[in-house]
PDB file of all heavy atoms in Angstrom:
ATOM      1  N   THR J  16     -17.183-106.750  26.220  1.00  0.00           N
ATOM      2  CA  THR J  16     -17.251-108.208  26.246  1.00  0.00           C
ATOM      3  C   THR J  16     -16.668-108.772  27.541  1.00  0.00           C
ATOM      4  O   THR J  16     -15.785-108.177  28.167  1.00  0.00           O
ATOM      5  CB  THR J  16     -16.497-108.839  25.060  1.00  0.00           C
ATOM      6  OG1 THR J  16     -15.096-108.540  25.166  1.00  0.00           O
ATOM      7  CG2 THR J  16     -17.037-108.317  23.743  1.00  0.00           C
ATOM      8  N   LEU J  17     -17.160-109.950  27.905  1.00  0.00           N
ATOM      9  CA  LEU J  17     -16.715-110.662  29.097  1.00  0.00           C
ATOM     10  C   LEU J  17     -16.423-112.103  28.723  1.00  0.00           C
ATOM     11  O   LEU J  17     -17.209-112.734  28.006  1.00  0.00           O
ATOM     12  CB  LEU J  17     -17.807-110.649  30.172  1.00  0.00           C
ATOM     13  CG  LEU J  17     -18.331-109.291  30.630  1.00  0.00           C
ATOM     14  CD1 LEU J  17     -19.615-109.474  31.435  1.00  0.00           C
ATOM     15  CD2 LEU J  17     -17.272-108.574  31.463  1.00  0.00           C
ATOM     16  N   THR J  18     -15.303-112.633  29.223  1.00  0.00           N
ATOM     17  CA  THR J  18     -14.968-114.031  28.998  1.00  0.00           C
ATOM     18  C   THR J  18     -14.655-114.667  30.344  1.00  0.00           C
ATOM     19  O   THR J  18     -13.934-114.090  31.161  1.00  0.00           O
ATOM     20  CB  THR J  18     -13.757-114.187  28.063  1.00  0.00           C
ATOM     21  OG1 THR J  18     -13.964-113.381  26.888  1.00  0.00           O
ATOM     22  CG2 THR J  18     -13.575-115.635  27.642  1.00  0.00           C
ATOM     23  N   PHE J  19     -15.210-115.858  30.579  1.00  0.00           N
ATOM     24  CA  PHE J  19     -15.075-116.546  31.865  1.00  0.00           C
ATOM     25  C   PHE J  19     -14.260-117.818  31.682  1.00  0.00           C
ATOM     26  O   PHE J  19     -14.396-118.529  30.685  1.00  0.00           O
ATOM     27  CB  PHE J  19     -16.453-116.887  32.418  1.00  0.00           C
ATOM     28  CG  PHE J  19     -17.285-115.673  32.754  1.00  0.00           C
ATOM     29  CD1 PHE J  19     -18.038-115.035  31.774  1.00  0.00           C
ATOM     30  CD2 PHE J  19     -17.316-115.176  34.042  1.00  0.00           C
ATOM     31  CE1 PHE J  19     -18.812-113.920  32.084  1.00  0.00           C
ATOM     32  CE2 PHE J  19     -18.081-114.061  34.365  1.00  0.00           C
ATOM     33  CZ  PHE J  19     -18.825-113.432  33.385  1.00  0.00           C
ATOM     34  N   TYR J  20     -13.436-118.122  32.712  1.00  0.00           N
ATOM     35  CA  TYR J  20     -12.543-119.283  32.656  1.00  0.00           C
ATOM     36  C   TYR J  20     -12.557-120.020  33.983  1.00  0.00           C
ATOM     37  O   TYR J  20     -12.825-119.431  35.041  1.00  0.00           O
ATOM     38  CB  TYR J  20     -11.107-118.836  32.371  1.00  0.00           C
ATOM     39  CG  TYR J  20     -10.897-118.073  31.095  1.00  0.00           C
ATOM     40  CD1 TYR J  20     -10.995-116.691  31.069  1.00  0.00           C
ATOM     41  CD2 TYR J  20     -10.594-118.737  29.908  1.00  0.00           C
ATOM     42  CE1 TYR J  20     -10.793-115.976  29.904  1.00  0.00           C
ATOM     43  CE2 TYR J  20     -10.390-118.035  28.729  1.00  0.00           C
ATOM     44  CZ  TYR J  20     -10.490-116.656  28.735  1.00  0.00           C
ATOM     45  OH  TYR J  20     -10.285-115.946  27.571  1.00  0.00           O
ATOM     46  N   ALA J  21     -12.220-121.318  33.926  1.00  0.00           N
ATOM     47  CA  ALA J  21     -12.039-122.125  35.127  1.00  0.00           C
ATOM     48  C   ALA J  21     -10.970-123.157  34.852  1.00  0.00           C
ATOM     49  O   ALA J  21     -10.806-123.624  33.715  1.00  0.00           O
ATOM     50  CB  ALA J  21     -13.348-122.808  35.523  1.00  0.00           C
ATOM     51  N   GLY J  22     -10.225-123.537  35.883  1.00  0.00           N
ATOM     52  CA  GLY J  22      -9.188-124.544  35.704  1.00  0.00           C
ATOM     53  C   GLY J  22      -8.456-124.830  37.003  1.00  0.00           C
ATOM     54  O   GLY J  22      -8.755-124.261  38.055  1.00  0.00           O
ATOM     55  N   LEU J  23      -7.461-125.714  36.886  1.00  0.00           N
ATOM     56  CA  LEU J  23      -6.683-126.105  38.059  1.00  0.00           C
ATOM     57  C   LEU J  23      -5.452-125.240  38.265  1.00  0.00           C
ATOM     58  O   LEU J  23      -4.891-125.198  39.358  1.00  0.00           O
ATOM     59  CB  LEU J  23      -6.249-127.576  37.943  1.00  0.00           C
ATOM     60  CG  LEU J  23      -7.342-128.604  38.211  1.00  0.00           C
ATOM     61  CD1 LEU J  23      -6.835-130.009  37.890  1.00  0.00           C
ATOM     62  CD2 LEU J  23      -7.813-128.527  39.663  1.00  0.00           C
ATOM     63  N   SER J  24      -5.017-124.556  37.204  1.00  0.00           N
ATOM     64  CA  SER J  24      -3.850-123.684  37.305  1.00  0.00           C
ATOM     65  C   SER J  24      -3.975-122.580  36.267  1.00  0.00           C
ATOM     66  O   SER J  24      -4.790-122.669  35.345  1.00  0.00           O
ATOM     67  CB  SER J  24      -2.556-124.472  37.078  1.00  0.00           C
ATOM     68  OG  SER J  24      -2.458-124.865  35.724  1.00  0.00           O
ATOM     69  N   ASN J  25      -3.160-121.554  36.414  1.00  0.00           N
ATOM     70  CA  ASN J  25      -3.188-120.451  35.441  1.00  0.00           C
ATOM     71  C   ASN J  25      -2.795-120.903  34.043  1.00  0.00           C
ATOM     72  O   ASN J  25      -3.153-120.262  33.057  1.00  0.00           O
ATOM     73  CB  ASN J  25      -2.258-119.334  35.909  1.00  0.00           C
ATOM     74  CG  ASN J  25      -2.873-118.518  37.033  1.00  0.00           C
ATOM     75  OD1 ASN J  25      -4.038-118.170  36.977  1.00  0.00           O
ATOM     76  ND2 ASN J  25      -2.096-118.232  38.050  1.00  0.00           N
ATOM     77  N   ASP J  26      -2.047-121.996  33.951  1.00  0.00           N
ATOM     78  CA  ASP J  26      -1.624-122.528  32.656  1.00  0.00           C
ATOM     79  C   ASP J  26      -2.629-123.507  32.069  1.00  0.00           C
ATOM     80  O   ASP J  26      -2.436-123.995  30.960  1.00  0.00           O
ATOM     81  CB  ASP J  26      -0.260-123.208  32.789  1.00  0.00           C
ATOM     82  CG  ASP J  26       0.821-122.257  33.247  1.00  0.00           C
ATOM     83  OD1 ASP J  26       0.769-121.075  32.859  1.00  0.00           O
ATOM     84  OD2 ASP J  26       1.714-122.684  34.008  1.00  0.00           O
ATOM     85  N   MET J  27      -3.672-123.819  32.823  1.00  0.00           N
ATOM     86  CA  MET J  27      -4.656-124.795  32.370  1.00  0.00           C
ATOM     87  C   MET J  27      -6.060-124.292  32.692  1.00  0.00           C
ATOM     88  O   MET J  27      -6.760-124.840  33.525  1.00  0.00           O
ATOM     89  CB  MET J  27      -4.414-126.156  33.026  1.00  0.00           C
ATOM     90  CG  MET J  27      -5.199-127.310  32.424  1.00  0.00           C
ATOM     91  SD  MET J  27      -4.892-128.878  33.295  1.00  0.00           S
ATOM     92  CE  MET J  27      -3.157-129.116  32.921  1.00  0.00           C
ATOM     93  N   LEU J  28      -6.443-123.195  32.030  1.00  0.00           N
ATOM     94  CA  LEU J  28      -7.767-122.624  32.214  1.00  0.00           C
ATOM     95  C   LEU J  28      -8.635-122.905  30.991  1.00  0.00           C
ATOM     96  O   LEU J  28      -8.174-122.766  29.855  1.00  0.00           O
ATOM     97  CB  LEU J  28      -7.678-121.112  32.443  1.00  0.00           C
ATOM     98  CG  LEU J  28      -7.065-120.655  33.770  1.00  0.00           C
ATOM     99  CD1 LEU J  28      -6.927-119.135  33.786  1.00  0.00           C
ATOM    100  CD2 LEU J  28      -7.887-121.125  34.947  1.00  0.00           C
ATOM    101  N   TYR J  29      -9.878-123.291  31.221  1.00  0.00           N
ATOM    102  CA  TYR J  29     -10.813-123.601  30.152  1.00  0.00           C
ATOM    103  C   TYR J  29     -11.859-122.493  30.071  1.00  0.00           C
ATOM    104  O   TYR J  29     -12.391-122.063  31.095  1.00  0.00           O
ATOM    105  CB  TYR J  29     -11.516-124.936  30.414  1.00  0.00           C
ATOM    106  CG  TYR J  29     -10.569-126.090  30.584  1.00  0.00           C
ATOM    107  CD1 TYR J  29     -10.182-126.495  31.858  1.00  0.00           C
ATOM    108  CD2 TYR J  29     -10.053-126.765  29.481  1.00  0.00           C
ATOM    109  CE1 TYR J  29      -9.304-127.558  32.024  1.00  0.00           C
ATOM    110  CE2 TYR J  29      -9.178-127.824  29.639  1.00  0.00           C
ATOM    111  CZ  TYR J  29      -8.812-128.219  30.913  1.00  0.00           C
ATOM    112  OH  TYR J  29      -7.935-129.266  31.090  1.00  0.00           O
ATOM    113  N   GLN J  30     -12.157-122.049  28.868  1.00  0.00           N
ATOM    114  CA  GLN J  30     -13.205-121.044  28.706  1.00  0.00           C
ATOM    115  C   GLN J  30     -14.556-121.679  28.998  1.00  0.00           C
ATOM    116  O   GLN J  30     -14.865-122.774  28.517  1.00  0.00           O
ATOM    117  CB  GLN J  30     -13.188-120.469  27.288  1.00  0.00           C
ATOM    118  CG  GLN J  30     -14.203-119.348  27.086  1.00  0.00           C
ATOM    119  CD  GLN J  30     -14.039-118.660  25.732  1.00  0.00           C
ATOM    120  OE1 GLN J  30     -12.934-118.477  25.246  1.00  0.00           O
ATOM    121  NE2 GLN J  30     -15.169-118.271  25.143  1.00  0.00           N
ATOM    122  N   VAL J  31     -15.367-120.985  29.785  1.00  0.00           N
ATOM    123  CA  VAL J  31     -16.696-121.483  30.140  1.00  0.00           C
ATOM    124  C   VAL J  31     -17.723-120.673  29.350  1.00  0.00           C
ATOM    125  O   VAL J  31     -17.924-119.486  29.598  1.00  0.00           O
ATOM    126  CB  VAL J  31     -16.962-121.349  31.649  1.00  0.00           C
ATOM    127  CG1 VAL J  31     -18.326-121.932  31.999  1.00  0.00           C
ATOM    128  CG2 VAL J  31     -15.865-122.043  32.454  1.00  0.00           C
ATOM    129  N   GLY J  32     -18.343-121.314  28.385  1.00  0.00           N
ATOM    130  CA  GLY J  32     -19.345-120.642  27.565  1.00  0.00           C
ATOM    131  C   GLY J  32     -18.735-119.725  26.525  1.00  0.00           C
ATOM    132  O   GLY J  32     -17.517-119.560  26.422  1.00  0.00           O
ATOM    133  N   GLU J  33     -19.606-119.100  25.738  1.00  0.00           N
ATOM    134  CA  GLU J  33     -19.185-118.154  24.716  1.00  0.00           C
ATOM    135  C   GLU J  33     -18.856-116.805  25.356  1.00  0.00           C
ATOM    136  O   GLU J  33     -19.200-116.538  26.505  1.00  0.00           O
ATOM    137  CB  GLU J  33     -20.295-117.972  23.677  1.00  0.00           C
ATOM    138  CG  GLU J  33     -20.692-119.246  22.948  1.00  0.00           C
ATOM    139  CD  GLU J  33     -19.549-119.793  22.094  1.00  0.00           C
ATOM    140  OE1 GLU J  33     -18.794-118.971  21.535  1.00  0.00           O
ATOM    141  OE2 GLU J  33     -19.423-121.031  21.994  1.00  0.00           O
ATOM    142  N   VAL J  34     -18.204-115.950  24.594  1.00  0.00           N
ATOM    143  CA  VAL J  34     -17.936-114.585  25.050  1.00  0.00           C
ATOM    144  C   VAL J  34     -19.276-113.890  25.290  1.00  0.00           C
ATOM    145  O   VAL J  34     -20.195-113.996  24.478  1.00  0.00           O
ATOM    146  CB  VAL J  34     -17.096-113.819  24.007  1.00  0.00           C
ATOM    147  CG1 VAL J  34     -16.931-112.365  24.415  1.00  0.00           C
ATOM    148  CG2 VAL J  34     -15.731-114.492  23.842  1.00  0.00           C
ATOM    149  N   GLN J  35     -19.388-113.191  26.405  1.00  0.00           N
ATOM    150  CA  GLN J  35     -20.632-112.557  26.812  1.00  0.00           C
ATOM    151  C   GLN J  35     -20.580-111.045  26.648  1.00  0.00           C
ATOM    152  O   GLN J  35     -19.510-110.441  26.605  1.00  0.00           O
ATOM    153  CB  GLN J  35     -20.942-112.901  28.273  1.00  0.00           C
ATOM    154  CG  GLN J  35     -21.108-114.384  28.539  1.00  0.00           C
ATOM    155  CD  GLN J  35     -22.295-114.963  27.797  1.00  0.00           C
ATOM    156  OE1 GLN J  35     -23.420-114.467  27.932  1.00  0.00           O
ATOM    157  NE2 GLN J  35     -22.067-116.006  27.015  1.00  0.00           N
ATOM    158  N   SER J  36     -21.756-110.433  26.623  1.00  0.00           N
ATOM    159  CA  SER J  36     -21.883-108.985  26.576  1.00  0.00           C
ATOM    160  C   SER J  36     -21.978-108.428  27.996  1.00  0.00           C
ATOM    161  O   SER J  36     -22.406-109.124  28.921  1.00  0.00           O
ATOM    162  CB  SER J  36     -23.142-108.601  25.796  1.00  0.00           C
ATOM    163  OG  SER J  36     -23.485-107.249  26.021  1.00  0.00           O
ATOM    164  N   VAL J  37     -21.603-107.176  28.180  1.00  0.00           N
ATOM    165  CA  VAL J  37     -21.726-106.531  29.488  1.00  0.00           C
ATOM    166  C   VAL J  37     -23.142-106.013  29.745  1.00  0.00           C
ATOM    167  O   VAL J  37     -23.376-105.328  30.741  1.00  0.00           O
ATOM    168  CB  VAL J  37     -20.715-105.368  29.651  1.00  0.00           C
ATOM    169  CG1 VAL J  37     -19.288-105.858  29.559  1.00  0.00           C
ATOM    170  CG2 VAL J  37     -20.993-104.272  28.629  1.00  0.00           C
ATOM    171  N   ASP J  38     -24.090-106.343  28.879  1.00  0.00           N
ATOM    172  CA  ASP J  38     -25.425-105.770  28.996  1.00  0.00           C
ATOM    173  C   ASP J  38     -26.075-105.992  30.359  1.00  0.00           C
ATOM    174  O   ASP J  38     -26.763-105.118  30.878  1.00  0.00           O
ATOM    175  CB  ASP J  38     -26.344-106.274  27.874  1.00  0.00           C
ATOM    176  CG  ASP J  38     -26.458-107.789  27.817  1.00  0.00           C
ATOM    177  OD1 ASP J  38     -25.743-108.474  28.583  1.00  0.00           O
ATOM    178  OD2 ASP J  38     -27.256-108.301  27.014  1.00  0.00           O
ATOM    179  N   ALA J  39     -25.841-107.143  30.971  1.00  0.00           N
ATOM    180  CA  ALA J  39     -26.482-107.436  32.256  1.00  0.00           C
ATOM    181  C   ALA J  39     -25.993-106.535  33.377  1.00  0.00           C
ATOM    182  O   ALA J  39     -26.711-106.306  34.358  1.00  0.00           O
ATOM    183  CB  ALA J  39     -26.259-108.900  32.633  1.00  0.00           C
ATOM    184  N   VAL J  40     -24.775-106.022  33.251  1.00  0.00           N
ATOM    185  CA  VAL J  40     -24.210-105.187  34.321  1.00  0.00           C
ATOM    186  C   VAL J  40     -23.992-103.749  33.873  1.00  0.00           C
ATOM    187  O   VAL J  40     -23.291-102.983  34.526  1.00  0.00           O
ATOM    188  CB  VAL J  40     -22.882-105.788  34.850  1.00  0.00           C
ATOM    189  CG1 VAL J  40     -23.148-107.115  35.547  1.00  0.00           C
ATOM    190  CG2 VAL J  40     -21.868-105.973  33.722  1.00  0.00           C
TER     191      VAL J  40
END
């Protein structure tokens, strides 16, 4: 599984999208 995040600081990261599979890679 892969999970992606974005934010302004390490303490304020938002998950972007649902948890993904590694199938593409």
